[in-house]
Amino acid sequence: VLGYRWLTSRSTAISNGVPAPLGAPVGRRVVLAGAAGLILAAASGALLRALNARAAFSYDGLAYSGPGVQPIAPADKFYTVTKNVVDPDVLSSVWRLEIGGMVEEPRTYDFAALQALPGIEQESTLMCISNQIGAGLMSNAVWTGVRLRDLLEASRPLPGAVEVFLRAADGYTDTFSIDKALEPETLVAYAINGAPLPQRHGFPARVVVPGLFGEKNVKWVTRIDVIDYDARGFYEQQGWGPSFVIPTRSDIFAPRWVRKRGDAFVEPFAVGKQATIRGRAFAGNRGIQRVEYSLDDGETWHESRIDYAGTDLTWTFWSFGWTPDAPGESPIASGAGDGTGEPQIAERRSIVPQ
């Protein structure tokens, strides 16, 4: 706009309201403006490329699934969901974690102080609330961190506490109950699989809340307040919830299949040749007691083999061998029972607010 105004402000282009004749010499100002435009265009292109490289476009919605999925997901393949176009790049030297609200003694921890506290390693699976059956917005890792219970007890919560309200460096907020915050498995984590958290996973620290959907596992956490009322976080205000407890689920991840014209395996099976069907089951923080499969639309069920039992806080890998005895289509279904014995429900559940 400024360049246009500069060009059209010259008085030589028009004389007494009459345009300059065709073929008139091009003024120096026009040449300079054109050169400046080319320079600005090149600079803008470089800027856009730099911004795109810093943006979350390349990894937002990153899924971890398929035949190659492992019980412990590598940090660079761990599923990723973010609300940001550009995630915060937090410096550990200036980061602080504040514990406040309804507490007798508010406290502030820098990164060194947090790491100096007694820590634990804990294997836990995280899953997005919008993860479909068979999709890959879930992963398992070993987290290192401090029990949130220890941080809260050091500040001595006051009677009447209902929830904790969490704030993050990107403006994200969320909540969960004070009882959940005081469970020994709820962590403020600063490492994944023995290495510092990557930026996209909340460096320098994030919250890990086994049993609740991923949105409650706040990344880049900077403040935790104890409150005496039921507050709503970023996604809850948009209609997600009201329950954030992970239901029992199971799915198949190998051999490779696609969601196209119904769920179907990519490669056909051979009559008389045994194939191995592999899958996973997950029940939040309730563990998996058993996984069964059916080859006749649920009329009969058979117990599968457990290949990776994990813990009560993780997924379980299972498999079975199947030898087709005739050509045609065969439906394969799986079902799991959690650690309390409750079976996976058969009803469909939407992954978006209704």
Side-chain angles (χ1 to χ4, degrees):
V1 171
L2 292 175
Y4 176 79
R5 291 185 62 183
W6 182 62
L7 271 174
T8 55
S9 65
R10 58 195 179 97
S11 59
T12 57
I14 298 177
S15 176
N16 298 322
V18 179
L22 291 175
V26 176
R28 185 177 63 175
R29 183 175 290 187
V30 176
V31 175
L32 291 175
L38 290 174
I39 294 171
L40 287 173
S44 298
L47 176 61
L48 289 173
R49 287 192 296 272
L51 290 175
N52 183 67
R54 294 188 60 186
F57 302 132
S58 64
Y59 59 82
D60 183 24
L62 175 68
Y64 184 58
S65 192
V69 66
Q70 298 297 312
I72 303 295
D76 62 341
K77 296 184 181 299
F78 198 98
Y79 95 90
T80 309
V81 174
T82 180
K83 73 173 184 62
N84 305 312
V85 174
V86 178
D87 283 334
D89 190 3
V90 182
L91 297 176
S92 60
S93 59
V94 299
W95 174 87
R96 299 292 184 271
L97 175 62
E98 298 175 303
I99 306 295
M102 293 179 56
V103 296
E104 291 184 18
E105 186 180 344
R107 289 177 177 247
T108 300
Y109 300 87
D110 63 20
F111 191 51
L114 181 71
Q115 290 181 302
L117 294 173
I120 64 168
E121 283 192 350
Q122 176 176 288
E123 186 180 342
S124 298
T125 300
L126 273 56
M127 186 179 77
C128 180
I129 194 171
S130 61
N131 188 46
Q132 302 182 63
I133 294 294
L137 296 181
M138 62 186 300
S139 299
N140 187 49
V142 178
W143 308 92
T144 304
V146 177
R147 289 187 172 96
L148 178 55
R149 179 181 67 183
D150 294 344
L151 297 173
L152 293 175
E153 289 180 347
S155 291
R156 300 190 297 279
L158 298 171
V162 172
E163 290 183 341
V164 289
F165 188 86
L166 297 89
R167 293 179 174 86
D170 63 343
Y172 185 80
T173 60
D174 218 321
T175 69
F176 47 84
S177 71
I178 186 68
D179 292 337
K180 190 67 179 177
L182 294 175
E183 288 182 359
E185 297 85 11
T186 302
L187 305 180
V188 175
Y190 48 78
I192 178 173
N193 297 340
L197 292 172
Q199 176 200 358
R200 69 177 68 172
H201 289 298
F203 180 84
R206 70 174 300 168
V207 174
V208 174
V209 196
L212 300 184
F213 283 117
E215 66 187 73
K216 299 293 180 179
N217 297 255
V218 177
K219 297 181 284 189
W220 311 290
V221 62
T222 57
R223 185 175 177 88
I224 301 174
D225 284 313
V226 178
I227 59 177
D228 61 357
Y229 59 95
D230 182 17
R232 296 194 302 169
F234 178 84
Y235 282 115
E236 196 171 1
Q237 292 177 32
Q238 301 177 44
W240 297 89
S243 175
F244 296 92
V245 176
I246 297 173
T248 303
R249 57 184 285 136
S250 62
D251 61 28
I252 295 169
F253 63 75
R256 190 163 64 93
W257 61 275
V258 293
R259 182 170 280 115
K260 184 178 181 181
R261 297 186 300 276
D263 300 340
F265 291 101
V266 173
E267 301 293 336
F269 297 90
V271 173
K273 183 178 180 181
Q274 187 180 73
T276 300
I277 310 297
R278 299 173 60 209
R280 58 196 165 186
F282 183 44
N285 61 344
R286 300 181 303 281
I288 293 294
Q289 190 177 96
R290 70 185 186 281
V291 183
E292 299 174 321
Y293 66 92
S294 174
L295 301 172
D296 53 13
D297 274 336
E299 292 295 324
T300 58
W301 292 88
H302 313 275
E303 190 166 347
S304 68
R305 178 177 62 248
I306 300 299
D307 300 317
Y308 183 77
T311 73
D312 286 348
L313 309 181
T314 74
W315 58 20
T316 293
F317 280 18
W318 56 271
S319 66
F320 68 91
W322 176 50
T323 304
D325 56 10
E329 293 188 354
S330 296
I332 300 177
S334 66
D338 69 14
T340 70
E342 284 293 313
Q344 175 181 343
I345 63 173
E347 293 76 18
R348 290 182 176 272
R349 178 185 69 87
S350 175
I351 61 171
V352 297
Q354 298 298 300

